[in-house]
Amino acid sequence: MRTKKDYSRPQSAVMRAIRTRRIAFSFHNAAPSKRHFVAGDIAMSHLVALMSGGFPSGEESFILAVRRYRNQITDPVLKNQVAGFIGQEMNHGMQHRNLNVELVRMGYWVTRLLDALGTRFVNRMKDNLYRIPNTVAKLALANTAAVEHLTAVLGEKALTTPWLQERLSDPEVRAMLNWHAIEEMEHKAVAFDVYRYVGGSERMRILSMAGMLALLWVPLIFSSSQSLPIRGPGGTRSTPYAA
């Protein structure tokens, strides 16, 4: 295990800056016109809405997990990359929160629920950030590194899958998700490098990744369940959230 004492350069860091790009999207003026805005696909629309609902608080919790150890970093490259990581994640959260306002208006109740629960969690994390035991703080950092890796992998897959790009039929939503994916790929190693820098163990990192992989099934199962037909009055078959 490497510690700060024998840490000279982050293993996966490269000599480049991670820039914060001030990009804004107009969901109010160019909002998805249909409830099932991903090419009319119920499951995919709910999956995007579910993920977007969790992004603002998720991004903020990742920032806090890294910020807890920010003052311990002396490597100049990693220090600059942490600043870029925080800036990018803050902007991701703001843009997804703007999208969530529109999704809630369209009736995606899970977006509102996740945003509310996530906000409560983040507020508690903020209040106790420097009182959390070091082991718990490192676990939060390991979870952040795991999720950042997964979102970068999923982002690359989304960007390079033509049929998925075609299904993101709303241009503003597609542009925002693609921008988010590109920046996730750009800063995917930052939390991992910070974790290694502060002496995080491989055992904790591997267990954390296993846990995050298991949790991936939750949004997939939920979004799929929304497209299952149910029997309504008179024996008719319909989906629970038909447009």
Side-chain angles (χ1 to χ4, degrees):
M1 181 180 68
R2 302 177 80 191
T3 64
K4 287 188 292 184
K5 291 182 179 179
D6 62 1
Y7 190 101
S8 57
R9 287 279 295 118
Q11 285 185 327
S12 55
V14 292
M15 296 299 292
R16 59 171 169 76
I18 295 176
R19 297 191 298 112
T20 301
R21 302 169 181 87
R22 302 299 180 185
I23 299 177
F25 300 91
S26 302
F27 300 114
H28 179 69
N29 297 323
S33 57
K34 297 191 302 182
R35 174 162 169 74
H36 303 134
F37 57 94
V38 183
D41 188 312
I42 300 172
M44 285 295 293
S45 297
H46 277 276
L47 179 60
V48 172
L50 177 68
M51 293 177 66
S52 188
F55 273 134
S57 54
E59 304 284 26
E60 195 164 359
S61 70
F62 301 157
I63 291 171
L64 292 172
V66 171
R67 185 173 282 162
R68 160 73 183 250
Y69 294 101
R70 187 179 188 179
N71 292 336
Q72 298 181 27
I73 299 170
T74 57
D75 181 279
V77 174
L78 183 57
K79 200 175 186 70
N80 287 335
Q81 290 183 340
V82 165
F85 168 84
I86 290 174
Q88 287 187 350
E89 294 290 58
M90 287 180 65
N91 211 16
H92 295 171
M94 286 189 292
Q95 297 309 314
H96 275 282
R97 187 157 274 126
N98 291 339
L99 174 59
N100 291 347
V101 171
E102 183 61 26
L103 292 174
V104 169
R105 186 193 66 78
M106 293 165 64
Y108 286 95
W109 61 269
V110 71
T111 303
R112 184 198 300 271
L113 176 64
L114 285 178
D115 201 12
L117 292 176
T119 298
R120 290 180 62 183
F121 171 78
V122 166
N123 287 339
R124 291 192 65 180
M125 191 173 178
K126 282 180 180 177
D127 293 340
N128 298 282
L129 184 60
Y130 295 101
R131 292 196 292 268
I132 298 172
N134 191 49
T135 301
V136 177
K138 282 186 179 177
L139 177 60
L141 189 56
N143 290 340
T144 298
V147 174
E148 288 296 324
H149 180 80
L150 291 174
T151 53
V153 170
L154 293 174
E156 183 176 8
K157 187 67 175 177
L159 288 168
T160 56
T161 304
W163 68 264
L164 184 56
Q165 289 292 312
E166 292 171 4
R167 295 194 76 76
L168 292 171
S169 49
D170 183 88
E172 203 73 359
V173 173
R174 181 175 62 248
M176 193 269 278
L177 293 178
N178 285 346
W179 158 75
H180 190 168
I182 290 168
E183 292 199 340
E184 288 297 323
M185 292 165 59
E186 185 177 52
H187 69 231
K188 69 177 182 179
V190 175
F192 170 78
D193 287 333
V194 173
Y195 180 76
R196 294 293 298 273
Y197 188 91
V198 298
S201 71
E202 278 296 285
R203 177 182 173 83
M204 179 182 286
R205 186 188 68 80
I206 292 170
L207 289 174
S208 177
M209 176 61 82
M212 294 301 106
L213 284 171
L215 286 176
L216 271 181
W217 287 101
V218 175
L220 294 176
I221 292 172
F222 172 83
S223 58
S224 297
S225 72
Q226 304 310 296
S227 63
L228 294 176
I230 60 174
R231 191 170 299 281
T236 57
R237 303 279 290 178
S238 63
T239 56
Y241 296 100

